[in-house]
């Protein structure tokens, strides 16, 4: 399996991509070789996971360094080593920023079709981790998270449970104080 296909490219794109890969450094070639040794289904799942994470990060039309680090952590937790995670995250970010809107639904659907319900819930939770990484969730990020949950075919009840795990962060970001903020303060 070629590295371009690992990222969801078509065979003709793989031929073009292989010429570009020959110009890469030896370190990058080594990482690519290790990624290509993954079982195809695992590689597909990790590639689509990385893309969906990049989608969550780019919902506000920027991906911060903190969000990038959070994406890398999620992929390490999913089974990649750090150099692999760094490479996959950078490639997923480039894909999302270049052609995101046209591929978002398709890639999320592909993850849904090749994953278990627990993996889908885990991905949604990871997307929330990405969205709250920079402590500035926006209404666009919230809308994207709801779209992702729907496209992953996660029921409203399950999606609400995941969202509730981040309720303190979300309510504060929309300008509402938390319960602890209002308890000790006198009315003004």
């Amino acid at each position: 399996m070629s590295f371009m296909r690992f990222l969801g490219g078509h065979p003709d794109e793989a031929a073009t991509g292989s010429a570009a890969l020959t110009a890469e450094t030896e370190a990058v070639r080594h990482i690519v070789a290790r990624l290509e040794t993954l079982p195809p289904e695992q590689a597909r799942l990790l590639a689509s996971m990385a893309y969906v994470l990049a989608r969550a990060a780019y919902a506000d039309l920027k991906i911060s360094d903190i969000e990038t680090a959070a994406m890398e952590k999620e992929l390490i937790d999913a089974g990649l080593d750090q150099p692999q995670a760094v490479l996959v995250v950078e490639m997923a970010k480039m894909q999302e920023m270049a052609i995101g809107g046209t591929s978002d639904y398709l890639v999320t659907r592909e993850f849904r079709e090749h994953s278990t319900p627990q993996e889908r819930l885990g991905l949604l939770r990871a997307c929330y981790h990405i969205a709250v990484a920079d402590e500035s969730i926006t209404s666009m990020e919230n809308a994207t998270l709801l779209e992702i949950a729907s496209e992953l075919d996660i029921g409203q009840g399950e999606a609400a449970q995941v969202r509730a795990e981040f309720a303190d962060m979300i309510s504060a970001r929309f300008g509402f104080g938390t319960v602890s903020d209002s308890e000790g303060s006198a009315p003004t």
Side-chain angles (χ1 to χ4, degrees):
M1 178 168 106
S2 76
F3 189 62
M4 292 304 290
R5 288 193 49 181
F6 168 79
L7 292 175
H10 299 286
D12 58 322
E13 292 172 342
T16 305
S18 67
L21 285 178
T22 60
E24 296 294 336
T25 67
E26 192 60 36
V28 171
R29 284 190 201 120
H30 181 67
I31 294 167
V32 169
R34 289 193 341 237
L35 288 172
E36 288 180 339
T37 64
L38 293 173
E41 285 301 311
Q42 182 185 9
R44 176 178 289 137
L45 204 60
L46 289 169
S48 56
M49 177 184 180
Y51 184 93
V52 175
L53 293 174
R55 176 183 177 189
Y58 195 60
D60 59 358
L61 304 178
K62 64 184 184 306
I63 300 177
S64 70
D65 291 342
I66 294 169
E67 290 168 325
T68 297
M71 291 169 60
E72 291 168 3
K73 181 189 179 313
E74 293 295 334
L75 288 173
I76 291 167
D77 291 348
L80 293 178
D81 62 30
Q82 186 185 18
Q84 291 170 327
V86 169
L87 180 65
V88 172
V89 164
E90 288 305 314
M91 296 188 83
K93 286 171 34 180
M94 288 187 320
Q95 289 289 320
E96 176 60 25
M97 290 186 279
I99 59 167
T102 59
S103 297
D104 287 349
Y105 173 76
L106 297 173
V107 175
T108 306
R109 183 179 68 185
E110 181 172 337
F111 185 90
R112 179 188 73 218
E113 290 173 2
H114 294 96
S115 61
T116 66
Q118 293 80 16
E119 289 169 330
R120 292 189 289 275
L121 276 173
L123 177 57
L124 180 62
R125 189 171 283 108
C127 287
Y128 271 94
H129 285 137
I130 303 308
V132 301
D134 62 3
E135 299 184 15
S136 60
I137 198 168
T138 65
S139 60
M140 292 187 317
E141 288 172 322
N142 188 54
T144 298
L145 293 169
L146 294 173
E147 284 177 7
I148 290 169
S150 175
E151 292 167 12
L152 290 173
D153 203 20
I154 295 174
Q156 288 182 343
E158 289 177 308
Q161 287 176 344
V162 172
R163 188 176 191 274
E165 295 172 27
F166 301 89
D168 292 350
M169 302 292 285
I170 294 168
S171 64
R173 286 187 185 88
F174 284 118
F176 303 104
T178 61
V179 174
S180 61
D181 289 343
S182 61
E183 286 178 352
S185 60
T188 56

